[in-house]
């Protein structure tokens, strides 16, 4: 489902049969109702074929697989010449960085006026910016539950522990449910009214 080495998800595509997309190509994420363990998210993504398709992603695949914690593949450890599990190595790296105060993902919560750590299951809507390098990102804050819209680089979304030093923030209070937010999201995003905020989490 998720490939740690290419940081991409595999989905079905009616044209290509199968396609690999990075998180920044997701357009909408919605948790399916009901108490599944783990929870399942319905996503929509922009496909390389030019279309947009739906897909299903488990909570684990969204939040933990990018950190390599689900990866059953092995690699030859050049330090020890032993064959090690990728997930143990990547898990160690992730744990060390989190302990050092680095977060895999972060965003700027506009209602709280502060940066917050976050995981992709809190992302709700994404839209590509005109420059091709950035995406508008609507995040439901895990702490205050309100929605903020940030303008961030693709790498900020796609690569764990790569955080923009500064992000664009839309100074607007959004509705909490995704359906109501979607129209506001696109309207605010293209109005270009972003304010720069620093993302240091210390
Ligand atoms: Zn496709
Ligand atoms: Zn918040």
């Amino acid at each position: 489902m998720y490939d740690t080495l290419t940081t991409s998800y595999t989905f079905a595509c009616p044209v290509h049969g199968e396609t690999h997309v990075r998180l920044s190509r997701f357009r909408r994420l919605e948790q399916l109702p009901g108490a599944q363990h783990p929870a399942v998210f319905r996503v929509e993504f922009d496909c390389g074929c030019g279309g947009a398709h739906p897909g299903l992603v488990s909570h684990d695949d969204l939040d933990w697989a990018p950190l390599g914690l689900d990866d059953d593949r092995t690699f030859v450890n050049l330090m020890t010449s032993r064959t090690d599990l990728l997930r143990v190595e990547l898990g160690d790296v992730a744990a060390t960085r989190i302990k050092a105060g680095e977060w895999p993902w972060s965003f700027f919560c506009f209602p709280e006026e502060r940066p917050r750590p976050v995981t992709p299951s809190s992302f709700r809507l994404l839209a590509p910016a005109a420059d091709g390098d950035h995406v508008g990102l609507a995040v439901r804050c895990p702490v205050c539950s309100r929605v903020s819209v940030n303008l961030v680089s693709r790498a900020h979304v796609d690569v764990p522990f790569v955080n923009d030093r500064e992000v664009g923030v839309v100074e607007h209070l959004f509705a909490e449910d995704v359906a109501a937010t979607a129209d506001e999201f696109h309207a605010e995003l293209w109005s270009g009214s972003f304010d720069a905020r620093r993302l240091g989490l210390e």
Side-chain angles (χ1 to χ4, degrees):
M1 179 71 206
Y2 184 86
D3 185 335
T4 321
L5 299 181
T6 60
T7 61
S8 62
Y9 291 87
T10 303
F11 289 111
C13 162
V15 178
H16 296 129
E18 196 178 82
T19 187
H20 306 282
V21 297
R22 300 180 107 191
L23 201 50
S24 63
R25 294 260 297 276
F26 285 23
R27 292 296 165 255
R28 176 192 280 264
L29 295 85
E30 219 166 353
Q31 187 174 345
L32 292 179
Q36 304 104 336
H37 293 283
V40 176
F41 288 75
R42 184 187 183 279
V43 306
E44 258 169 50
F45 62 93
D46 270 354
C47 183
C49 76
H53 314 310
L56 295 176
V57 190
S58 75
H59 188 268
D60 285 357
D61 271 336
L62 267 180
D63 286 356
W64 306 119
L67 303 180
L69 306 185
D70 276 352
D71 204 311
D72 282 328
R73 287 174 301 181
T74 56
F75 71 105
V76 177
N77 188 328
L78 297 177
M79 307 283 280
T80 61
S81 300
R82 280 190 335 224
T83 301
D84 287 339
L85 266 175
L86 203 50
R87 71 157 175 265
V88 174
E89 181 71 12
L90 292 169
D92 282 352
V93 171
T96 304
R97 298 182 81 162
I98 290 170
K99 273 186 218 147
E102 281 183 73
W103 285 92
W105 295 275
S106 58
F107 79 108
F108 194 92
C109 178
F110 169 64
E112 296 187 281
E113 265 298 319
R114 56 166 297 171
R116 289 273 186 205
V118 73
T119 52
S121 59
S122 293
F123 298 169
R124 288 294 171 266
L125 298 161
L126 295 92
D131 68 3
D133 294 331
H134 290 77
V135 285
L137 174 65
V139 183
R140 186 174 187 270
C141 180
V143 179
C144 74
S145 300
R146 286 172 295 183
V147 175
S148 292
V149 171
N150 288 181
L151 186 70
V152 302
S153 71
R154 285 184 178 274
H156 177 92
V157 171
D158 289 332
V159 189
F161 298 106
V162 170
N163 286 296
D164 295 347
R165 292 164 62 87
E166 224 174 62
V167 299
V169 178
V170 174
E171 299 191 314
H172 176 82
L173 275 175
F174 289 87
E176 277 177 40
D177 75 288
V178 178
T181 304
D183 288 344
E184 287 179 72
F185 173 65
H186 288 106
E188 289 290 333
L189 204 53
W190 308 131
S191 75
S193 53
F194 289 98
D195 239 48
R197 295 286 202 289
R198 295 190 65 78
L199 257 197
L201 283 169
E202 65 281 345

